[in-house]
Amino acid sequence: MDRTAGENLVTYELRGAVAVIGLNRPEKRNAISDRVVEALARAVERASAEARAGVIMGTGPHFCAGLDLGEHVEKPLIDAIAGSRRWHRVFDMIERGTIPFVSALQGAVVGGGFELAASTHIRVADASAFFGMPEGQRGIFVGGGGSVRIARLIGAARMGDMMLTGRTVTAEKMEAWGGINYVTPEGQSLEKAIELAEATAGNAQMSNYAILNALPRIQDMSSEDGLFMESIMSALTSVTPEAEERLRAFLEKRAKKVMAPRDV
Ligand code: 1HE
């Protein structure tokens, strides 16, 4: 059965400070249709208003099979362009919004599914996850920001290889390539993603805002402009009452120290 109007294509749950958003179309491997994009947009907007961090997950054994190919067989050119631009706006709300998002990945992370994950700030995959970009085989191109975001994460050469040859990549290799940040045992990516989201939710809001919005822009600037922007953001964050309190808390030994890593 496919889901249509009125059904829960995207789930939403507020767990403390963290909003957990779930692609919920497992019978179609969470393929992203136009309706899914709109449901995702509403969930991201709600999370940004009431949570301090978000997690994006997929229901069932696969994170997401990418673009709903069924909707694209007969799409007029102008609708295809508008559709891609809408993906860009929604994924931009995730990437350059006000709260950090962590994605929890398992099974297929394919095409537009990988593009969605690439718009989140931290990617956690379990050992079952595999990454594919079958656009070449399908006769299409990426349209959800992948040529910018995925190419910057893993490099255009690796992305081009995946798109040209249809090669799929394990979680372990994708971590080595820089496409994801954490690999967990099978079935544990959601738990880890929530733990990480909770950690980010505890940060100063202005620091998170600067990390989400200044850092990627600085990457697009010349070194000179980047350094200038860095100083402005650094000064802006440090004069907030929240920063003052956090700096005092450390000096008065009320704050946690930086710990050595526990993993080897
Ligand atoms: C779909 C889609 C989809 C599955 N659009 N319906 N994406 C792809 O090229 C990936 C295509 N999907 C697959 O390769 C496989 O489905 C999976 C590896 C993800 C999962 O395999 P499996 O064996 O668990 O499931 P399945 O039996 O292949 O699929 C179950 C159902 O989901 C089936 O429908 P049914 O009516 O026969 O039950 C599939 O047709 C359906 N399904 N994936 C529509 N993607 C903004 S541009 C982005 C560009 C891209 O994303 S390109 C990548 C497209």
Side-chain angles (χ1 to χ4, degrees):
M1 179 203 66
D2 192 11
R3 288 155 205 268
T4 49
E7 288 186 282
N8 213 8
L9 293 169
V10 170
T11 58
Y12 184 95
E13 189 194 347
L14 190 62
R15 294 197 197 180
V18 175
V20 180
I21 295 172
L23 301 175
N24 187 33
R25 211 187 165 204
E27 68 281 1
K28 292 288 178 190
R29 307 304 181 254
N30 297 324
I32 302 177
S33 61
D34 291 345
R35 282 180 199 281
V36 171
V37 175
E38 295 316 318
L40 181 63
R42 286 191 295 276
V44 169
E45 213 160 355
R46 183 172 165 195
S48 306
E50 67 183 15
R52 292 289 290 259
V55 166
I56 297 183
M57 54 160 274
T59 305
H62 300 285
F63 173 67
C64 176
L67 178 71
D68 185 321
L69 298 171
E71 279 188 355
H72 272 257
V73 178
E74 290 180 351
K75 212 164 210 181
L77 176 58
I78 190 70
D79 290 354
I81 296 172
S84 167
R85 296 299 290 157
R86 179 68 183 144
W87 281 49
H88 289 167
R89 284 197 296 278
V90 175
F91 289 8
D92 195 62
M93 282 165 54
I94 297 169
E95 188 190 32
R96 298 192 184 182
T98 50
I99 61 168
F101 281 94
V102 184
S103 46
L105 312 175
Q106 77 283 351
V109 184
V110 170
F114 193 11
E115 294 182 285
L116 169 60
S119 73
T120 65
H121 306 98
I122 301 171
R123 283 159 292 284
V124 182
D126 81 9
S128 75
F130 59 96
F131 298 78
M133 305 291 300
E135 282 79 0
Q137 292 157 278
R138 305 282 179 249
I140 56 178
F141 189 66
V142 282
S147 61
V148 173
R149 296 193 184 98
I150 298 174
R152 283 178 194 195
L153 288 172
I154 67 175
R158 289 186 179 122
M159 183 179 170
D161 173 17
M162 291 177 75
M163 290 178 74
L164 286 168
T165 64
R167 170 185 188 174
T168 54
V169 174
T170 62
E172 200 183 339
K173 190 180 286 291
M174 191 50 81
E175 185 191 24
W177 282 6
I180 58 173
N181 307 81
Y182 298 82
V183 182
T184 72
E186 201 169 329
Q188 293 179 24
S189 59
L190 179 60
E191 188 187 330
K192 180 73 180 173
I194 291 173
E195 178 194 319
L196 294 167
E198 281 168 351
T200 69
N203 294 339
Q205 273 180 299
M206 264 309 287
S207 296
N208 279 349
Y209 188 81
I211 295 163
L212 268 46
N213 288 279
L215 199 55
R217 285 185 172 83
I218 289 171
Q219 278 222 301
D220 291 339
M221 293 176 184
S222 66
S223 301
E224 192 49 43
D225 290 344
L227 292 172
F228 182 72
M229 171 68 104
E230 179 184 283
S231 296
I232 301 286
M233 286 313 304
S234 171
L236 270 176
T237 52
S238 67
V239 296
T240 58
E242 201 172 354
E244 192 181 321
E245 159 51 23
R246 284 165 183 256
L247 297 173
R248 271 193 212 295
F250 176 76
L251 297 172
E252 292 164 7
K253 307 205 181 301
R254 290 184 281 115
K256 266 198 280 185
K257 287 186 194 182
V258 174
M259 305 293 283
R262 276 168 296 156
D263 53 342
V264 238

